[in-house]
Amino acid sequence: MPATGTALVGALLWAMAMGASALTGLWLDNWETPEKIRFVALLFATGAALAFPVGLFAARLVSLDRHWEVAFAAAFVCLLATTLAFTGGLFALQYRSYYAEWHAEAFTARWAFELVFTSLTALYQFVVLGIRLYFPLGFIALAAASVWFARRQR
């Protein structure tokens, strides 16, 4: 398990980096209203904060007693995967909560069908529209975090 201090400070820094990446991308695109920009940036930051400890733990499991290159690759892949998964999941929950008022009664067969397809639609939209907000700042932060992790594993 990662140390509590490392997980908390890392999660805070990772959240700030991913939130700043989303904020910069949306601001440069002159996207929507300031309130919506703040909401999306906060969503990206929250997803990143939740993902960092999990990604760090997974990277440590994969790279135990391995070379520097393996530790770098493990951190890169694990942080990338967990950040996308957590942020996409939060996006899907928000998307689902918006459309829930038009869906069938909870826990019926139709509701389950709508839940699955609404969630899949949200994840598709996140992949198509949301991943671009990680470039270039998020990618630079990912590379820097991976180098940091690999150096700590030596």
Side-chain angles (χ1 to χ4, degrees), residues 62-101:
V62 171
S63 68
L64 286 176
D65 297 326
R66 305 274 170 87
H67 294 288
W68 186 89
E69 297 86 2
V70 175
F72 176 83
F76 195 91
V77 170
C78 291
L79 284 175
L80 176 66
T82 57
T83 302
L84 291 176
F86 275 89
T87 307
L90 289 175
F91 181 81
L93 285 173
Q94 191 280 330
Y95 191 92
R96 169 74 177 118
S97 70
Y98 175 77
Y99 284 103
E101 95 178 62

Short mmCIF file of all heavy atoms in Angstrom, two decimals, residues 62-101:
data_model
loop_
_atom_site.label_atom_id
_atom_site.label_comp_id
_atom_site.label_asym_id
_atom_site.label_seq_id
_atom_site.Cartn_x
_atom_site.Cartn_y
_atom_site.Cartn_z
N VAL A 62 2.39 -4.08 -10.05
CA VAL A 62 2.93 -4.51 -11.33
C VAL A 62 4.45 -4.43 -11.37
O VAL A 62 5.11 -5.27 -11.98
CB VAL A 62 2.31 -3.68 -12.48
CG1 VAL A 62 2.99 -3.95 -13.80
CG2 VAL A 62 0.82 -3.94 -12.58
N SER A 63 5.03 -3.44 -10.71
CA SER A 63 6.46 -3.17 -10.88
C SER A 63 7.34 -3.63 -9.72
O SER A 63 8.49 -3.20 -9.63
CB SER A 63 6.66 -1.67 -11.09
OG SER A 63 6.36 -0.96 -9.91
N LEU A 64 6.85 -4.49 -8.86
CA LEU A 64 7.65 -4.94 -7.72
C LEU A 64 8.98 -5.53 -8.16
O LEU A 64 9.03 -6.46 -8.98
CB LEU A 64 6.87 -5.99 -6.91
CG LEU A 64 5.73 -5.46 -6.06
CD1 LEU A 64 5.00 -6.61 -5.40
CD2 LEU A 64 6.22 -4.49 -5.02
N ASP A 65 10.07 -5.00 -7.61
CA ASP A 65 11.43 -5.51 -7.86
C ASP A 65 11.75 -5.64 -9.34
O ASP A 65 12.37 -6.61 -9.77
CB ASP A 65 11.63 -6.86 -7.16
CG ASP A 65 11.52 -6.74 -5.65
OD1 ASP A 65 11.92 -5.68 -5.12
OD2 ASP A 65 11.02 -7.68 -5.03
N ARG A 66 11.33 -4.69 -10.12
CA ARG A 66 11.61 -4.69 -11.55
C ARG A 66 12.51 -3.51 -11.90
O ARG A 66 12.76 -2.63 -11.08
CB ARG A 66 10.32 -4.60 -12.37
CG ARG A 66 9.29 -5.66 -12.05
CD ARG A 66 9.54 -6.93 -12.87
NE ARG A 66 8.73 -8.04 -12.44
CZ ARG A 66 7.50 -8.29 -12.86
NH1 ARG A 66 6.92 -7.50 -13.71
NH2 ARG A 66 6.86 -9.35 -12.43
N HIS A 67 12.94 -3.48 -13.14
CA HIS A 67 13.80 -2.40 -13.62
C HIS A 67 13.05 -1.07 -13.68
O HIS A 67 11.82 -1.03 -13.66
CB HIS A 67 14.34 -2.73 -15.02
CG HIS A 67 15.27 -3.90 -15.01
ND1 HIS A 67 16.54 -3.83 -14.49
CD2 HIS A 67 15.10 -5.17 -15.46
CE1 HIS A 67 17.12 -5.01 -14.62
NE2 HIS A 67 16.26 -5.85 -15.21
N TRP A 68 13.83 0.00 -13.81
CA TRP A 68 13.31 1.36 -13.89
C TRP A 68 12.30 1.49 -15.02
O TRP A 68 11.26 2.12 -14.86
CB TRP A 68 14.48 2.32 -14.12
CG TRP A 68 14.12 3.75 -14.09
CD1 TRP A 68 14.07 4.55 -12.99
CD2 TRP A 68 13.73 4.58 -15.20
NE1 TRP A 68 13.68 5.82 -13.35
CE2 TRP A 68 13.47 5.85 -14.70
CE3 TRP A 68 13.58 4.35 -16.56
CZ2 TRP A 68 13.06 6.91 -15.51
CZ3 TRP A 68 13.17 5.40 -17.38
CH2 TRP A 68 12.93 6.65 -16.85
N GLU A 69 12.58 0.89 -16.17
CA GLU A 69 11.71 1.01 -17.32
C GLU A 69 10.34 0.37 -17.07
O GLU A 69 9.31 0.88 -17.51
CB GLU A 69 12.33 0.35 -18.56
CG GLU A 69 13.61 0.99 -19.01
CD GLU A 69 14.85 0.45 -18.29
OE1 GLU A 69 14.72 -0.47 -17.45
OE2 GLU A 69 15.94 0.98 -18.57
N VAL A 70 10.34 -0.74 -16.36
CA VAL A 70 9.08 -1.42 -16.04
C VAL A 70 8.27 -0.56 -15.06
O VAL A 70 7.05 -0.44 -15.20
CB VAL A 70 9.35 -2.82 -15.46
CG1 VAL A 70 8.06 -3.48 -15.01
CG2 VAL A 70 10.08 -3.68 -16.47
N ALA A 71 8.95 0.03 -14.09
CA ALA A 71 8.26 0.90 -13.14
C ALA A 71 7.65 2.11 -13.85
O ALA A 71 6.52 2.51 -13.56
CB ALA A 71 9.22 1.34 -12.04
N PHE A 72 8.39 2.69 -14.78
CA PHE A 72 7.88 3.83 -15.54
C PHE A 72 6.64 3.42 -16.34
O PHE A 72 5.61 4.10 -16.31
CB PHE A 72 8.96 4.36 -16.49
CG PHE A 72 8.48 5.47 -17.39
CD1 PHE A 72 8.44 6.77 -16.93
CD2 PHE A 72 8.03 5.20 -18.67
CE1 PHE A 72 7.98 7.80 -17.74
CE2 PHE A 72 7.57 6.21 -19.50
CZ PHE A 72 7.55 7.52 -19.03
N ALA A 73 6.73 2.32 -17.07
CA ALA A 73 5.61 1.85 -17.88
C ALA A 73 4.40 1.50 -17.01
O ALA A 73 3.25 1.80 -17.37
CB ALA A 73 6.03 0.66 -18.73
N ALA A 74 4.65 0.87 -15.88
CA ALA A 74 3.55 0.50 -14.98
C ALA A 74 2.84 1.74 -14.47
O ALA A 74 1.60 1.79 -14.45
CB ALA A 74 4.08 -0.33 -13.82
N ALA A 75 3.61 2.73 -14.04
CA ALA A 75 2.99 3.97 -13.55
C ALA A 75 2.22 4.66 -14.66
O ALA A 75 1.10 5.14 -14.45
CB ALA A 75 4.06 4.90 -12.98
N PHE A 76 2.81 4.72 -15.84
CA PHE A 76 2.17 5.38 -16.97
C PHE A 76 0.82 4.73 -17.29
O PHE A 76 -0.21 5.41 -17.37
CB PHE A 76 3.10 5.32 -18.19
CG PHE A 76 2.74 6.27 -19.29
CD1 PHE A 76 3.28 7.53 -19.33
CD2 PHE A 76 1.86 5.88 -20.29
CE1 PHE A 76 2.95 8.41 -20.35
CE2 PHE A 76 1.52 6.74 -21.31
CZ PHE A 76 2.08 8.02 -21.34
N VAL A 77 0.83 3.42 -17.45
CA VAL A 77 -0.39 2.71 -17.82
C VAL A 77 -1.42 2.72 -16.69
O VAL A 77 -2.61 2.97 -16.92
CB VAL A 77 -0.06 1.26 -18.26
CG1 VAL A 77 -1.31 0.43 -18.41
CG2 VAL A 77 0.74 1.28 -19.55
N CYS A 78 -0.98 2.46 -15.47
CA CYS A 78 -1.92 2.38 -14.35
C CYS A 78 -2.53 3.74 -14.01
O CYS A 78 -3.75 3.83 -13.78
CB CYS A 78 -1.23 1.79 -13.12
SG CYS A 78 -0.82 0.04 -13.32
N LEU A 79 -1.74 4.80 -14.00
CA LEU A 79 -2.30 6.13 -13.75
C LEU A 79 -3.23 6.56 -14.87
O LEU A 79 -4.29 7.14 -14.62
CB LEU A 79 -1.19 7.16 -13.54
CG LEU A 79 -0.49 7.13 -12.21
CD1 LEU A 79 0.67 8.12 -12.18
CD2 LEU A 79 -1.45 7.43 -11.07
N LEU A 80 -2.85 6.26 -16.10
CA LEU A 80 -3.70 6.60 -17.24
C LEU A 80 -5.03 5.85 -17.15
O LEU A 80 -6.10 6.45 -17.25
CB LEU A 80 -2.98 6.26 -18.55
CG LEU A 80 -3.78 6.46 -19.83
CD1 LEU A 80 -4.08 7.93 -20.05
CD2 LEU A 80 -3.02 5.89 -21.01
N ALA A 81 -4.97 4.55 -16.94
CA ALA A 81 -6.19 3.73 -16.92
C ALA A 81 -7.12 4.12 -15.76
O ALA A 81 -8.33 4.26 -15.96
CB ALA A 81 -5.83 2.26 -16.83
N THR A 82 -6.55 4.28 -14.57
CA THR A 82 -7.42 4.61 -13.43
C THR A 82 -7.99 6.02 -13.54
O THR A 82 -9.15 6.24 -13.20
CB THR A 82 -6.68 4.46 -12.09
OG1 THR A 82 -5.51 5.26 -12.08
CG2 THR A 82 -6.32 3.01 -11.82
N THR A 83 -7.21 6.96 -14.06
CA THR A 83 -7.72 8.33 -14.21
C THR A 83 -8.86 8.36 -15.23
O THR A 83 -9.90 8.99 -14.97
CB THR A 83 -6.59 9.29 -14.62
OG1 THR A 83 -5.57 9.25 -13.62
CG2 THR A 83 -7.10 10.71 -14.77
N LEU A 84 -8.68 7.70 -16.34
CA LEU A 84 -9.76 7.65 -17.34
C LEU A 84 -10.98 6.92 -16.79
O LEU A 84 -12.12 7.35 -17.02
CB LEU A 84 -9.27 6.99 -18.62
CG LEU A 84 -8.25 7.76 -19.44
CD1 LEU A 84 -7.79 6.93 -20.64
CD2 LEU A 84 -8.78 9.10 -19.87
N ALA A 85 -10.76 5.82 -16.07
CA ALA A 85 -11.89 5.04 -15.54
C ALA A 85 -12.68 5.83 -14.50
O ALA A 85 -13.92 5.88 -14.56
CB ALA A 85 -11.38 3.74 -14.94
N PHE A 86 -11.99 6.44 -13.55
CA PHE A 86 -12.70 7.18 -12.49
C PHE A 86 -13.39 8.42 -13.05
O PHE A 86 -14.54 8.70 -12.72
CB PHE A 86 -11.76 7.56 -11.36
CG PHE A 86 -11.58 6.49 -10.34
CD1 PHE A 86 -10.59 5.52 -10.49
CD2 PHE A 86 -12.38 6.42 -9.22
CE1 PHE A 86 -10.43 4.52 -9.56
CE2 PHE A 86 -12.22 5.43 -8.27
CZ PHE A 86 -11.24 4.47 -8.44
N THR A 87 -12.70 9.17 -13.90
CA THR A 87 -13.30 10.38 -14.46
C THR A 87 -14.45 10.02 -15.39
O THR A 87 -15.51 10.66 -15.35
CB THR A 87 -12.24 11.22 -15.19
OG1 THR A 87 -11.14 11.45 -14.31
CG2 THR A 87 -12.81 12.56 -15.62
N GLY A 88 -14.27 9.00 -16.21
CA GLY A 88 -15.37 8.54 -17.07
C GLY A 88 -16.56 8.05 -16.27
O GLY A 88 -17.71 8.30 -16.62
N GLY A 89 -16.28 7.36 -15.16
CA GLY A 89 -17.35 6.90 -14.29
C GLY A 89 -18.12 8.05 -13.66
O GLY A 89 -19.36 8.02 -13.60
N LEU A 90 -17.41 9.07 -13.21
CA LEU A 90 -18.09 10.24 -12.64
C LEU A 90 -18.90 10.97 -13.71
O LEU A 90 -20.01 11.44 -13.44
CB LEU A 90 -17.07 11.20 -12.02
CG LEU A 90 -16.41 10.74 -10.73
CD1 LEU A 90 -15.34 11.73 -10.29
CD2 LEU A 90 -17.44 10.54 -9.63
N PHE A 91 -18.34 11.06 -14.91
CA PHE A 91 -19.07 11.67 -16.01
C PHE A 91 -20.35 10.88 -16.30
O PHE A 91 -21.42 11.47 -16.49
CB PHE A 91 -18.19 11.75 -17.26
CG PHE A 91 -18.86 12.39 -18.43
CD1 PHE A 91 -18.92 13.77 -18.54
CD2 PHE A 91 -19.44 11.62 -19.43
CE1 PHE A 91 -19.55 14.37 -19.62
CE2 PHE A 91 -20.06 12.21 -20.51
CZ PHE A 91 -20.12 13.59 -20.61
N ALA A 92 -20.25 9.56 -16.32
CA ALA A 92 -21.42 8.72 -16.58
C ALA A 92 -22.47 8.88 -15.48
O ALA A 92 -23.67 8.92 -15.77
CB ALA A 92 -21.00 7.26 -16.70
N LEU A 93 -22.05 9.00 -14.22
CA LEU A 93 -23.01 9.20 -13.12
C LEU A 93 -23.73 10.54 -13.27
O LEU A 93 -24.95 10.63 -13.07
CB LEU A 93 -22.29 9.16 -11.78
CG LEU A 93 -21.87 7.79 -11.28
CD1 LEU A 93 -21.02 7.93 -10.01
CD2 LEU A 93 -23.08 6.92 -11.00
N GLN A 94 -22.99 11.58 -13.62
CA GLN A 94 -23.60 12.89 -13.80
C GLN A 94 -24.56 12.87 -14.99
O GLN A 94 -25.66 13.40 -14.91
CB GLN A 94 -22.51 13.95 -13.99
CG GLN A 94 -23.00 15.38 -13.92
CD GLN A 94 -23.65 15.87 -15.19
OE1 GLN A 94 -23.32 15.46 -16.29
NE2 GLN A 94 -24.61 16.75 -15.04
N TYR A 95 -24.13 12.25 -16.06
CA TYR A 95 -24.96 12.14 -17.26
C TYR A 95 -26.24 11.37 -16.95
O TYR A 95 -27.32 11.77 -17.35
CB TYR A 95 -24.13 11.40 -18.32
CG TYR A 95 -24.69 11.39 -19.72
CD1 TYR A 95 -24.33 12.37 -20.63
CD2 TYR A 95 -25.53 10.36 -20.14
CE1 TYR A 95 -24.80 12.34 -21.93
CE2 TYR A 95 -26.01 10.33 -21.44
CZ TYR A 95 -25.64 11.33 -22.33
OH TYR A 95 -26.11 11.29 -23.61
N ARG A 96 -26.10 10.29 -16.23
CA ARG A 96 -27.24 9.45 -15.86
C ARG A 96 -28.20 10.21 -14.95
O ARG A 96 -29.43 10.12 -15.11
CB ARG A 96 -26.74 8.18 -15.17
CG ARG A 96 -27.80 7.34 -14.51
CD ARG A 96 -28.63 6.59 -15.52
NE ARG A 96 -29.58 5.75 -14.80
CZ ARG A 96 -30.89 5.88 -14.90
NH1 ARG A 96 -31.42 6.76 -15.69
NH2 ARG A 96 -31.68 5.10 -14.21
N SER A 97 -27.68 10.98 -14.02
CA SER A 97 -28.55 11.72 -13.11
C SER A 97 -29.37 12.77 -13.87
O SER A 97 -30.51 13.05 -13.50
CB SER A 97 -27.75 12.37 -11.99
OG SER A 97 -26.97 13.43 -12.48
N TYR A 98 -28.81 13.33 -14.92
CA TYR A 98 -29.55 14.31 -15.72
C TYR A 98 -30.72 13.63 -16.45
O TYR A 98 -31.83 14.15 -16.47
CB TYR A 98 -28.61 14.98 -16.73
CG TYR A 98 -29.33 15.91 -17.68
CD1 TYR A 98 -29.73 17.17 -17.27
CD2 TYR A 98 -29.64 15.51 -18.98
CE1 TYR A 98 -30.39 18.03 -18.13
CE2 TYR A 98 -30.31 16.36 -19.84
CZ TYR A 98 -30.68 17.62 -19.42
OH TYR A 98 -31.34 18.44 -20.27
N TYR A 99 -30.47 12.48 -17.06
CA TYR A 99 -31.50 11.80 -17.83
C TYR A 99 -32.43 10.93 -17.00
O TYR A 99 -33.42 10.40 -17.52
CB TYR A 99 -30.86 10.95 -18.94
CG TYR A 99 -30.39 11.80 -20.09
CD1 TYR A 99 -29.05 12.10 -20.25
CD2 TYR A 99 -31.30 12.33 -20.99
CE1 TYR A 99 -28.62 12.90 -21.29
CE2 TYR A 99 -30.89 13.13 -22.04
CZ TYR A 99 -29.55 13.41 -22.18
OH TYR A 99 -29.13 14.21 -23.20
N ALA A 100 -32.17 10.77 -15.72
CA ALA A 100 -32.97 9.88 -14.88
C ALA A 100 -34.43 10.31 -14.79
O ALA A 100 -35.32 9.47 -14.64
CB ALA A 100 -32.37 9.79 -13.49
N GLU A 101 -34.70 11.59 -14.92
CA GLU A 101 -36.09 12.05 -14.78
C GLU A 101 -36.98 11.56 -15.92
O GLU A 101 -38.18 11.52 -15.78
CB GLU A 101 -36.13 13.57 -14.62
CG GLU A 101 -36.34 14.37 -15.85
CD GLU A 101 -36.40 15.86 -15.57
OE1 GLU A 101 -35.42 16.43 -15.10
OE2 GLU A 101 -37.47 16.44 -15.83
#
